[in-house]
Amino acid sequence: TGKGRLMTPKEFNEIVVRRDANGGIVRLEGASGGSAFTNCLFAGHASFWGGAYTVQSICGAVAVNLTDVDDTVDFDHCTFAYNLNGSCHYYSAGGNNQWANYSTAAGLHVHSGAVKVRNSIFWGNTGGADETPLDIKADAAATFENNLIDYPVSGYADNTIGDPLFRDAANGDYHVKGGTSAAVGIGVPLASCTVDMDGVARGSETTTAGCYEFDPSSVPFDVDVRFGETVVGFGTPVTVQVSVEGGTVDDCDYAWDL
């Protein structure tokens, strides 16, 4: 709560929030307008058993509930991946015990105020309102542009639905693979974000969505060399099979010296 802050770059990983917690990792409340998140990774968070009966702003990763509806929070080149929202509460109403489900989006929920989300990735966030990556309530507003999402967001057409192809999300590597990654080239250059989380320069004409810019020089190669199993004499030609996995054919040249 309070004054807006700039967060860049940050990794928020695998935090589970239980009971009376209305944002899985970040909750922006009250006079927090002007906050900006750049090159941030929100991955593997979960929110359970929230208790926000009045505002119902519960979310797996980030919840926004600003006092002034004209205040804005910015998210540029952020990655929201594999967050879980399963908020619910067991309560008694008139002697009848029942479950109340207060779950919203697992990625980003905006109850009041406004958000501007650009060049970001929303992938694998589950639970909440129709599993949408973004949940905007009636008293809130959003600019949602040039993002990569896995579910369509009603009213926000200027985004791409596709797979970012994370390099190794299971082990915490959220760089994207080149070639067929839907995140590459869909972002627009932003003056506020000229490098990624690793310090790699963003593209000058197009950029990679998410907190990491695609850098072909950083993509590991796995080389597999196989020889025929037949034993042959000296000087006899043999067949050698070489295969490469990783990298991108479009950005790299292969030179073999066998």
Side-chain angles (χ1 to χ4, degrees), residues 54-107:
T54 56
V55 300
Q56 300 185 18
S57 52
I58 305 165
C59 186
V62 180
V64 177
N65 184 38
L66 306 180
T67 302
D68 190 337
V69 296
D70 294 324
D71 280 352
T72 302
V73 177
D74 293 344
F75 297 88
D76 290 334
H77 279 291
C78 292
T79 298
F80 295 77
Y82 302 109
N83 299 292
L84 173 66
N85 181 33
S87 299
C88 56
H89 190 76
Y90 194 61
Y91 76 110
S92 177
N96 297 317
N97 294 326
Q98 54 187 305
W99 286 101
N101 189 350
Y102 296 107
S103 60
T104 56

Side-chain angles (χ1 to χ4, degrees), residues 166-232:
F166 294 125
R167 187 182 297 171
D168 189 5
N171 291 303
D173 186 349
Y174 289 91
H175 294 80
V176 301
K177 298 178 181 178
T180 57
S181 170
V184 178
I186 70 167
V188 297
L190 302 174
S192 60
C193 186
T194 58
V195 297
D196 73 352
M197 183 180 283
D198 291 335
V200 175
R202 293 285 184 184
S204 59
E205 297 183 0
T206 63
T207 65
T208 301
C211 58
Y212 295 111
E213 187 74 9
F214 172 62
D215 179 13
S217 66
S218 69
V219 178
F221 290 87
D222 294 322
V223 180
D224 181 32
V225 180
R226 297 178 182 273
F227 294 89
E229 296 180 358
T230 304
V231 177
V232 296

Side-chain angles (χ1 to χ4, degrees), residues 59-62 80-81 83 104-110 117 120-136 144 147-154 156 159-161:
C59 186
V62 180
F80 295 77
N83 299 292
T104 56
L108 174 62
H109 168 74
V110 187
V117 186
S120 295
I121 294 175
F122 291 79
W123 183 260
N125 303 291
T126 58
D130 299 323
E131 296 192 356
T132 179
L134 178 71
D135 184 30
I136 305 297
F144 196 66
N147 302 296
L148 182 65
I149 55 179
D150 51 359
Y151 282 87
V153 180
S154 178
Y156 300 93
N159 298 282
T160 300
I161 298 176

